[in-house]
Amino acid sequence: MSRILFYLDGYSHDVWREAFRAVDPSVEFRGFPDWGSPDDGPAYAFVWEAEPGLLKRFPNIKAIFSLGAGVDHLMRDPDLPKDVPIIRMGDDGLKEGMAEYVLMSVLMHHRQMPLLATAQSKARWQRVFSRPARHVRVGILGYGALGKCAAEALKPLGYNIAAWSRSPKPAEDGVQHFTGEDALNDFLARTDILVGLLPSTKETEGLLNFDRLSRLPEGASVINAGRGTLIVLEDLIALLNSGYLKGATLDVFPEEPLPADSPLWHQEGLLITPHCAAITRPDTAAEYVVRNIGRIEAGEVPENILDLGRGY
Ligand code: NAP
Ligand code: GLV
């Protein structure tokens, strides 16, 4: 029997309790604030944006599971316990969700939906010509669990795909790999549709500034479904307004929710989605957490442990 201390503000916990019950009826599910006493027996935390300091007050926690693949919400806690494994979400539901979102977004820019939507809003019958997918160069920034699934979803359509990551990757059919900062400008120069799937770290914050975005070919589009800290928004907007960049889709923002008075809502060529590219699904996530608790209890290494030094 495992005790799970669950934290997710603003959403009903019932669907999560049920999801854990379906996977393992012996799980004791405790939704915050009903976490019991810090002196109770061993427990596992499963949290999203928990209040800073809360996890430290429960020294009985054996491992911390992040409800998302991103752990920036945990890294912001100055009292984050560092002596227990911290495990990032990596369930199949998240991967499927991101693959669908990237496929949808790449197709939207390849087939010029932002331009068509503007034409519709002005009652203009404006037909557009789009190149075949094999002539469209997609560049995926970040080739981890989600970047790989995005590439797998795009491959059947024939896109010309490249990926950029920190460490070298084995050669792979259908994806050209670029590694490290030295290769970033070459990667950008061959990319018509850029897909951001990077974690938020010291290294990735502000990475896509005016200079970097200008390395993309004229007429390129930018999609960001990683974290909002990646892009200097004023620079992106300046390049959209000048016509150098053709369009963008943003799912993530430095400030969320995006304030209602943000001019971004009305930016021509920009599609906005409210951080819903891949929302963690209770069924697959509960299965993932229970599986990894099993590994820990068996003395094995769980999947997807956060490397505190790298920050992801
Ligand atoms: P992951 O498996 O850890 O992959 C991260 C990728 O980024 C890796 O390929 C890594 O390179 C690369 N990377 C990290 N820092 C880098 C740097 N400085 N330079 C170059 N490459 C770098 O993470 P994931 O599961 O794919 O998730 C990625 C991110 O997506 C999450 O951190 C989260 O922020 C975001 N996300 C967003 C949503 C949404 O709904 N919008 C949903 C889920 C996740 P290496 O391969 O060399 O390590
Ligand atoms: C969502 O943003 C996640 O990090 O899973």
Side-chain angles (χ1 to χ4, degrees):
M1 193 271 285
S2 316
R3 215 149 55 85
I4 293 180
L5 306 181
F6 182 79
Y7 191 108
L8 177 61
D9 204 17
Y11 294 87
S12 161
H13 291 174
D14 292 347
V15 62
W16 286 94
R17 183 176 285 104
E18 272 315 306
F20 276 100
R21 187 172 300 156
V23 177
D24 179 355
S26 78
V27 163
E28 182 189 345
F29 179 93
R30 307 290 296 258
F32 188 81
D34 178 29
W35 275 21
S37 158
D39 300 327
D40 290 348
Y44 292 92
F46 184 30
V47 298
W48 182 252
E49 296 181 339
E51 50 191 62
L54 175 69
L55 294 164
K56 190 187 177 185
R57 295 208 297 278
F58 285 78
N60 54 344
I61 288 172
K62 291 176 73 178
I64 299 166
F65 288 87
S66 166
L67 213 129
V71 288
D72 34 315
H73 65 109
L74 289 169
M75 302 293 271
R76 281 195 291 269
D77 181 350
D79 292 322
L80 177 69
K82 305 222 164 68
D83 51 350
V84 295
I86 298 174
I87 297 148
R88 300 174 299 136
M89 186 46 61
D91 66 310
D92 288 344
L94 205 64
K95 294 175 190 165
E96 284 163 8
M98 190 56 84
E100 290 164 6
Y101 183 88
V102 171
L103 182 57
M104 169 188 81
S105 302
V106 167
L107 278 165
M108 297 268 270
H109 287 286
H110 165 201
R111 298 305 302 261
Q112 308 182 63
M113 261 327 274
L115 203 146
L116 292 168
T118 303
Q120 182 182 346
S121 72
K122 296 180 175 159
R124 270 200 322 244
W125 184 262
Q126 185 182 345
R127 300 174 78 208
V128 295
F129 173 81
S130 301
R131 291 173 283 173
R134 65 182 178 282
H135 293 156
V136 177
R137 298 166 298 176
V138 178
I140 304 175
L141 270 177
Y143 202 63
L146 301 180
K148 277 194 195 78
C149 290
E152 289 309 318
L154 293 166
K155 278 180 185 177
L157 276 88
Y159 286 108
N160 179 341
I161 304 169
W164 182 74
S165 52
R166 213 175 51 99
S167 57
K169 300 284 174 280
E172 173 185 350
D173 276 352
V175 181
Q176 184 190 0
H177 287 289
F178 291 75
T179 309
E181 200 153 345
D182 290 349
L184 182 55
N185 285 344
D186 288 343
F187 165 82
L188 293 171
R190 56 70 63 207
T191 292
D192 300 312
I193 301 181
L194 182 68
V195 180
L197 284 175
L198 286 167
S200 180
T201 66
K202 285 196 296 293
E203 287 75 28
T204 62
E205 190 174 331
L207 185 72
L208 293 187
N209 54 19
F210 194 90
D211 174 57
R212 285 269 161 59
L213 290 167
S214 307
R215 306 282 173 158
L216 292 163
E218 188 167 3
S221 302
V222 174
I223 296 161
N224 189 21
R227 280 294 181 267
T229 49
L230 176 71
I231 301 181
V232 181
L233 285 179
E234 304 80 67
D235 294 349
L236 175 72
I237 298 309
L239 287 161
L240 284 171
N241 283 337
S242 71
Y244 186 81
L245 291 180
K246 197 177 203 171
T249 291
L250 300 179
D251 184 58
V252 283
F253 300 85
E255 183 189 356
E256 294 182 6
L258 183 65
D261 61 359
S262 167
L264 291 180
W265 289 110
H266 310 290
Q267 173 67 42
E268 204 163 289
L270 175 62
L271 303 172
I272 287 177
T273 54
H275 200 146
C276 58
I279 296 178
T280 303
R281 279 177 23 194
D283 55 349
T284 50
E287 196 275 327
Y288 177 83
V289 170
V290 168
R291 182 171 77 236
N292 279 290
I293 290 177
R295 284 195 184 203
I296 295 169
E297 295 291 330
E300 295 165 12
V301 181
E303 297 159 67
N304 256 333
I305 296 191
L306 164 65
D307 179 328
L308 284 162
R310 288 186 325 192
Y312 68 97

